[in-house]
Every structure is written in structure tokens, then in C-alpha cells.
Amino acid sequence: MNNLKELAALYRENLERVLANTPDKGIELRSFPGGACEISSIMLGHFLHGVGFKGVELVNASRRYRDYAYETESYSQEGHVWLIINSEIIVDITADQFDDFDEPVCVVKKSDFHSKFTENFRKDVKDELLTYPYGNIFKEVKCQIANT
């Protein structure tokens, strides 16, 4: 699992470097890590699959939370997407977009943070396409990693 955490950290580090120098980030990566969980997970999943990891799935989940922006008791729904490897290892490079998680890279078998979410569905990351500009960003991140 250490190798997986190192790869996820390397991917995030290089993704941040590429995004800092890319004017057209697309709407999903504009405020990375905020709002970037799905596309970031898809790109990381393709990268991990490309270096030999099998059983890489995308998890789409949601949770209710107390919304204190209103005077009356109100609840809102928020979604999150991360990877799971072989149905047991959580890999998440965007969980720090939430106030109740502060690590930039999470690679664990169990997570209190992730257990707060209800899984909506899973799908094989290989079935996900990288459209413009995300395919170009993905290629640039892979290039940066190859040159390290």
C-alpha cells in the first residue's frame, strides 16, 4: 500500500504543477481540489491502471450535512468521488476540499471520513473517457511524472 500512496502523491503533486501552468483547465479543475473529485479520480485511475493496478473502480457517493447558512434547521446534500482498488483500498486525492478532511492524499483500507458517505454507484475507471481539455492535462501529468 505504501507504493500506491507514493504513486497517488506523485500524481497529485504533478497534477498541481501542470494546473498551475495551464490556462485552460476546464470547469472541473479550475478550483482544484474543490469540485475536481470526479475528473481527478478518473485521471488518477487511468494512471494507476496504466502502471499495472487492476480492479480500479470509481466510487460515486453522497452525504447529508447540516447547513448552518440558514436560520432554520436545514440539511443539504453533497457528493464526492474517489477510487477503490480491488474493493478494499480507498484512494482519494481531493478529500481535502472538505472542511472535515485535511490530508491531500488518502490511501487507506478504512476511513471515518469516507464512511460518512452513502455509495450511489461504482464503475470501472477504464470505461471513463477523458475529453478535452482533461485528456491533454492527463498526458502532460504523465509526461511530468516520466521526467522525474
Side-chain angles (χ1 to χ4, degrees), residues 7-148:
L7 286 171
L10 181 67
Y11 193 88
R12 175 163 171 159
E13 175 186 320
N14 282 279
L15 176 58
E16 287 176 324
R17 185 176 298 124
V18 167
L19 290 175
N21 296 304
T22 302
D24 185 8
K25 297 170 182 58
I27 196 161
E28 291 184 57
L29 291 172
R30 192 171 297 152
S31 301
F32 182 88
C37 52
E38 183 172 17
I39 194 64
S40 299
S41 294
I42 291 169
M43 290 191 300
L44 175 60
H46 280 287
F47 173 73
L48 292 174
H49 187 264
V51 297
F53 283 88
K54 304 291 182 225
V56 182
E57 293 179 297
L58 201 62
V59 176
N60 179 298
S62 57
R63 69 177 177 178
R64 283 176 42 121
Y65 69 96
R66 174 82 164 87
D67 192 340
Y68 292 98
Y70 302 99
E71 289 182 22
T72 60
E73 189 169 315
S74 177
Y75 289 87
S76 294
Q77 193 85 353
E78 62 187 352
H80 189 42
V81 177
W82 62 85
L83 297 175
I84 193 155
I85 312 289
N86 296 323
S87 296
E88 66 175 348
I89 302 172
I90 295 166
V91 181
D92 192 341
I93 61 169
T94 62
D96 60 328
Q97 71 182 293
F98 296 98
D99 292 336
D100 54 336
F101 197 89
D102 59 2
E103 296 176 43
V105 176
C106 175
V107 178
V108 294
K109 287 192 175 185
K110 294 204 184 286
S111 162
D112 290 339
F113 170 77
H114 293 88
S115 68
K116 295 175 187 174
F117 288 83
T118 301
E119 187 175 315
N120 298 320
F121 60 87
R122 287 183 191 194
K123 53 186 170 179
D124 192 322
V125 78
K126 292 185 312 213
D127 297 335
E128 296 300 305
L129 299 176
L130 290 170
T131 58
Y132 179 83
Y134 309 114
N136 294 344
I137 293 169
F138 175 70
K139 288 176 189 171
E140 183 60 31
V141 172
K142 281 188 3 180
C143 230
Q144 292 281 327
I145 291 171
N147 291 328
T148 57

